[in-house]
Amino acid sequence: MKIPKKYQFIIELGRALHIYGITSYKIQSYLTEVANTKGIKGSFMDFPTWINYAFYENKNSYNYIESIPPGQLNLGALSRIAELTNKVIDSKIDNESITKELNSIHAKTKIINHYHLTLAYAFSAGCFSIMIGTNLISFLFSLVLGALIYFLVFLSSKSKYLENVFESFSALVVTIICCTLSLIIPNFNLGLTILASIIIFIPGLAITTALEEITSKSLVSGGAKLMDAIIVLFKQFFGVILGLSIMTSMVDIDMTYHVSEMPKWTIFVAIPIFSITLLPIFQVRRKDMLFGALTGVTAFFMTVLLSGYGVLVSTFIGTLTVVGISRLFGLISKTPKTVYLIQGIVMLVPGSKSFMGLSNSYFNPSTTTGSANLFEQVAFILMGIIGGLLFAGTFRERKPRKKEIEII
């Protein structure tokens, strides 16, 4: 069925927002605001794999359903789409130009700098290993394995089979390499290096986003995304289990060995660098990079400064701070605050702790109490983030500003 021209922009906008990983309740709210601004009556439902558009004209209605695979977060595209939509609201662009600009945005997302991404994956792994306490030799190998992970990402883009098994396969490869290194290098931190190497793919942000949607009453979408994130976590855990099982069946490996020898000052260098490595991974625009990195650093250090008050309180206040600073940076840069908010929340999410808790409870039964404490911390961090977003008013409906709409 051919889409009427007057609805085409809204449908293309919904598709773009979905593709670039915006939460369902925000997509629905945003499309409703755009439709109202243009004098169009409609209702919209976004789900992880499809979108339903319904438009009303007097006694007639027009329905359009589109099947779309789950999106991947792209903050650069989100920022450009927001700018395009504001042009439409201000009547600064005609219908033909809208489609051309959307096509241009899609084209820009396909421009990939493999050199920058290789460095980003390498240093994200290396910096995270410093943040969780490691030694120099393990840090160096974390850099190498992080770069290897991006090579596997590149290969997965060429193979549908490898794309489907990527989480387990990458964890398996890293685990076998780390086990081999632990046999050669006496003071090699096995568990921490494995975790640091695959930290980018541990779905802490995905779990938080799913709970955010559930909290906003998008129950179907949030529930589906939560289950997907849990499955991804278990895929990675399976890869680690398989790798360790293969290696321990052939040689003796000490999986509990850990030594931290890095100077304390290194963590103050690792945190901002880790925040910077997220910029090319999320394809953040150059004009938003400085504020994005500052938001991530502020989020982490705020929780550190308030750590004496407990995980729940420090995360809650850290989230409130991230929301506030994201709004401030959004006003200064004229960029949707979600671009900065997500980069701050990434520094708070508990994905690594979930993975460590699973690993400890499976491979070292004597640490059951420690694992229970880890899962308790995970729950407190999640509650702190969701509570912070809730009290900061992130979920409330917003009226569009005159001639301008902002993605909330």
Side-chain angles (χ1 to χ4, degrees):
M1 182 182 295
K2 188 176 180 180
I3 304 171
K5 285 187 177 181
K6 59 183 176 181
Y7 303 142
Q8 189 169 358
F9 166 69
I10 293 179
I11 291 173
E12 291 179 351
L13 176 62
R15 183 188 303 122
L17 291 171
H18 181 100
I19 290 173
Y20 301 126
I22 308 305
T23 53
S24 293
Y25 77 94
K26 289 179 180 178
I27 293 175
Q28 292 165 184
S29 176
Y30 196 27
L31 293 180
T32 300
E33 291 179 353
V34 172
N36 291 339
T37 303
K38 303 300 288 185
I40 297 173
K41 293 182 179 180
S43 62
F44 313 96
M45 296 180 67
D46 178 83
F47 296 95
T49 56
W50 56 281
I51 309 177
N52 184 17
Y53 307 84
F55 301 98
Y56 307 102
E57 297 179 357
N58 298 324
K59 295 182 180 181
N60 299 321
S61 64
Y62 175 84
N63 290 280
Y64 180 77
I65 299 176
E66 184 172 17
S67 177
I68 309 176
Q72 294 183 347
L73 193 61
N74 187 312
L75 299 182
L78 166 61
S79 179
R80 292 185 177 95
I81 289 172
E83 291 179 357
L84 170 61
T85 304
N86 287 328
K87 288 182 182 179
V88 176
I89 294 170
D90 293 337
S91 301
K92 294 180 179 179
I93 188 171
D94 56 40
N95 291 337
E96 292 183 3
S97 299
I98 292 172
T99 302
K100 290 180 180 179
E101 286 214 23
L102 277 173
N103 291 335
S104 175
I105 292 171
H106 295 320
K108 288 178 181 178
T109 63
K110 296 177 182 179
I111 300 174
I112 299 175
N113 190 315
H114 296 294
Y115 176 71
H116 288 168
L117 283 172
T118 301
L119 290 178
Y121 275 79
F123 279 92
S124 65
C127 291
F128 187 80
S129 69
I130 294 176
M131 291 163 62
I132 58 180
T134 191
N135 53 24
L136 180 59
I137 191 68
S138 299
F139 162 72
L140 294 175
F141 277 106
S142 294
L143 293 174
V144 176
L145 290 172
L148 173 64
I149 285 293
Y150 180 68
F151 177 68
L152 295 178
V153 171
F154 174 74
L155 291 180
S156 68
S157 66
K158 307 296 181 181
S159 168
K160 191 65 177 178
Y161 171 77
L162 190 56
E163 180 183 356
N164 291 333
V165 301
F166 175 77
E167 293 88 355
S168 296
F169 179 73
S170 59
L172 172 64
V173 171
V174 166
T175 301
I176 291 176
I177 293 174
C178 287
C179 287
T180 304
L181 291 172
S182 69
L183 297 174
I184 303 172
I185 304 170
N187 60 341
F188 184 78
N189 289 330
L190 175 61
L192 295 186
T193 307
I194 293 174
L195 174 61
S197 301
I198 61 176
I199 186 62
I200 287 296
F201 300 104
I202 293 178
L205 180 61
I207 292 173
T208 305
T209 301
L211 292 177
E212 178 186 345
E213 293 208 19
I214 293 173
T215 304
S216 69
K217 305 303 180 183
S218 296
L219 303 180
V220 176
S221 179
K225 290 179 179 178
L226 179 61
M227 181 57 66
D228 180 62
I230 292 173
I231 293 299
V232 169
L233 182 63
F234 275 94
K235 282 180 180 179
Q236 293 173 322
F237 187 53
F238 168 74
V240 174
I241 292 175
L242 182 60
L244 288 173
S245 299
I246 292 172
M247 296 302 294
T248 53
S249 67
M250 297 184 291
V251 293
D252 292 328
I253 295 176
D254 183 4
M255 294 178 289
T256 62
Y257 179 82
H258 169 244
V259 58
S260 179
E261 299 174 344
M262 298 294 286
K264 292 184 178 180
W265 61 265
T266 56
I267 192 172
F268 295 99
V269 178
I271 291 169
I273 293 178
F274 182 77
S275 185
I276 291 171
T277 62
L278 299 176
L279 301 176
I281 294 173
F282 287 152
Q283 297 191 41
V284 177
R285 299 171 74 179
R286 289 185 179 180
K287 75 182 190 70
D288 300 325
M289 286 185 174
L290 176 60
F291 286 153
L294 286 175
T295 305
V297 172
T298 302
F300 190 91
F301 279 115
M302 181 60 66
T303 57
V304 172
L305 290 173
L306 299 173
S307 59
Y309 295 96
V311 174
L312 179 62
V313 174
S314 63
T315 306
F316 173 72
I317 297 178
T319 303
L320 290 176
T321 303
V322 168
V323 174
I325 198 172
S326 297
R327 287 176 178 169
L328 175 62
F329 289 160
L331 290 173
I332 295 173
S333 63
K334 306 300 182 183
T335 296
K337 64 177 177 291
T338 302
V339 172
Y340 306 122
L341 179 62
I342 289 174
Q343 294 177 75
I345 295 299
V346 165
M347 303 296 286
L348 303 175
V349 294
S352 60
K353 287 186 178 292
S354 303
F355 193 89
M356 290 169 69
L358 285 171
S359 301
N360 286 338
S361 61
Y362 185 86
F363 295 111
N364 193 355
S366 63
T367 62
T368 302
T369 302
S371 298
N373 290 336
L374 272 174
F375 284 119
E376 183 178 311
Q377 290 182 47
V378 170
F380 282 161
I381 293 173
L382 287 170
M383 285 190 287
I385 293 174
I386 298 302
L389 293 173
L390 188 65
F391 276 81
T394 305
F395 300 141
R396 76 178 188 268
E397 292 290 334
R398 293 180 180 272
K399 293 182 179 180
R401 293 175 294 175
K402 186 177 181 180
K403 290 190 177 183
E404 185 173 351
I405 289 180
E406 179 184 358
I407 297 180
I408 60 175

